Amino acid sequence: MTRPRAASERFVAQLPERLRSRVQVVYSPLLDIRPMEQAVDTTGIRGLIFTSANGVAAAAAQDVRRDLPAYCVGPATTETARQAGWEARMTGETAEELVAKLLKERPDSPLLHLRGEHSRGNIAARLTELGLTVREQPVYRQQLLPLTPEARSAAAGSAPVIAPLFSPRTARQFADLWPGPAPLLVAAMSGPTAEPLENLAIARLRIAKRPTPKKMRKAVKKLVKYAIRLEGAMGAD
């Protein structure tokens, strides 16, 4: 698992127990999340946008106003914001859905998107260009990390390794670090996430049908089934 530890554990916990019993989970986060010290300015802001639980945690650590409505991407981010004290609502499962719904509903603005230092989608700029004023502020950093010794050991073995990758940046880091020669099965969150992997020797690649945790879990399930068949064929040889 390549996401930060808490997010990886949530993802694994939502996989079926029978599937979890068939695999050995190796945690090797490729990003270290660190809050930024710059104070969040909510002067004149009428609502917040959260696209990750990391943004919620960073905002909560700064005690950002809880009387502002929070528009969130995905159930995990929404629930994290609710538990932190915001009146949060899920405004789509993806950033694209959030943009479409906010443009349709036109809530009171300006809104403030609290995001990571490295972010995709240009949510604030796109919404502002289309008439809904949105500001943005990075509230956490995403520092790249190396593979853990446990992950390198798995890569050096003969058993298939399933790598779920959730962003182009972590995919690029993974592609730069993966030593092989273990058979590599990759679940990619999206087409752009798969692009940095083009030079890797991948035994099986599955791209999630939609960039959501639910579709990623489905892709991982299919790869586990493939890995079991692959191990069976290797044992037969």
Side-chain angles (χ1 to χ4, degrees), residues 220-235:
V220 168
K221 291 177 193 177
K222 290 182 180 296
L223 289 179
V224 170
K225 292 178 181 178
Y226 179 80
I228 292 170
R229 293 199 304 269
L230 184 61
E231 282 192 302
M234 291 167 64

Side-chain angles (χ1 to χ4, degrees), residues 81-111:
R82 285 175 182 156
Q83 291 180 1
W86 276 281
E87 182 183 337
R89 53 172 293 209
M90 190 173 85
T91 315
E93 287 193 287
T94 66
E96 292 299 320
E97 288 182 1
L98 176 133
V99 168
K101 287 189 177 183
L102 288 178
L103 287 173
K104 181 179 180 180
E105 296 175 4
R106 299 280 172 175
D108 291 341
S109 62
L111 306 178

Side-chain angles (χ1 to χ4, degrees), residues 7-176:
S8 287
E9 289 178 346
R10 284 196 302 270
F11 184 86
V12 171
Q14 291 170 346
L15 292 170
E17 184 177 353
R18 198 176 95 176
L19 183 146
R20 295 199 305 269
S21 69
R22 305 294 298 270
V23 300
Q24 176 186 354
V25 180
V26 175
Y27 293 99
S28 183
L30 295 181
L31 290 176
D32 181 32
I33 304 299
R34 297 290 179 89
M36 300 175 74
E37 296 180 359
Q38 183 179 353
V40 174
D41 182 8
T42 56
T43 303
I45 294 299
R46 306 298 296 275
L48 304 173
I49 295 175
F50 291 121
T51 48
S52 75
N54 295 319
V56 174
Q62 288 207 32
D63 200 25
V64 172
R65 291 168 49 193
R66 302 302 203 277
D67 61 336
L68 294 170
Y71 305 97
C72 305
V73 170
T77 301
T78 305
E79 183 58 27
T80 302
R82 285 175 182 156
Q83 291 180 1
W86 276 281
E87 182 183 337
R89 53 172 293 209
M90 190 173 85
T91 315
E93 287 193 287
T94 66
E96 292 299 320
E97 288 182 1
L98 176 133
V99 168
K101 287 189 177 183
L102 288 178
L103 287 173
K104 181 179 180 180
E105 296 175 4
R106 299 280 172 175
D108 291 341
S109 62
L111 306 178
L112 178 62
H113 181 200
L114 298 176
R115 60 171 180 81
E117 186 176 34
H118 297 275
S119 179
R120 302 180 71 250
N122 299 317
I123 288 173
R126 290 166 60 196
L127 287 170
T128 299
E129 287 175 1
L130 294 169
L132 183 63
T133 303
V134 178
R135 302 172 190 164
E136 62 180 348
Q137 181 177 338
V139 290
Y140 62 92
R141 290 189 171 90
Q142 306 115 303
Q143 181 180 344
L144 292 171
L145 297 175
L147 292 172
T148 62
E150 189 178 10
R152 290 198 300 271
S153 176
S158 58
V161 173
I162 300 170
L165 297 170
F166 292 82
S167 73
R169 189 162 182 252
T170 52
R172 192 172 302 110
Q173 176 75 345
F174 182 85
D176 289 342

Side-chain angles (χ1 to χ4, degrees), residues 2 11 162-168 170-172 174 184-198 202 204-221 223:
T2 59
F11 184 86
I162 300 170
L165 297 170
F166 292 82
S167 73
T170 52
R172 192 172 302 110
F174 182 85
L184 179 60
L185 318 178
V186 174
M189 179 70 108
S190 63
T193 300
E195 287 175 5
L197 309 172
E198 59 183 4
I202 298 176
R204 178 64 64 100
L205 170 66
R206 293 200 70 91
I207 299 174
K209 291 185 177 180
R210 296 183 70 233
T212 66
K214 181 178 180 179
K215 294 301 183 183
M216 276 292 284
R217 289 193 296 271
K218 187 171 183 179
V220 168
K221 291 177 193 177
L223 289 179

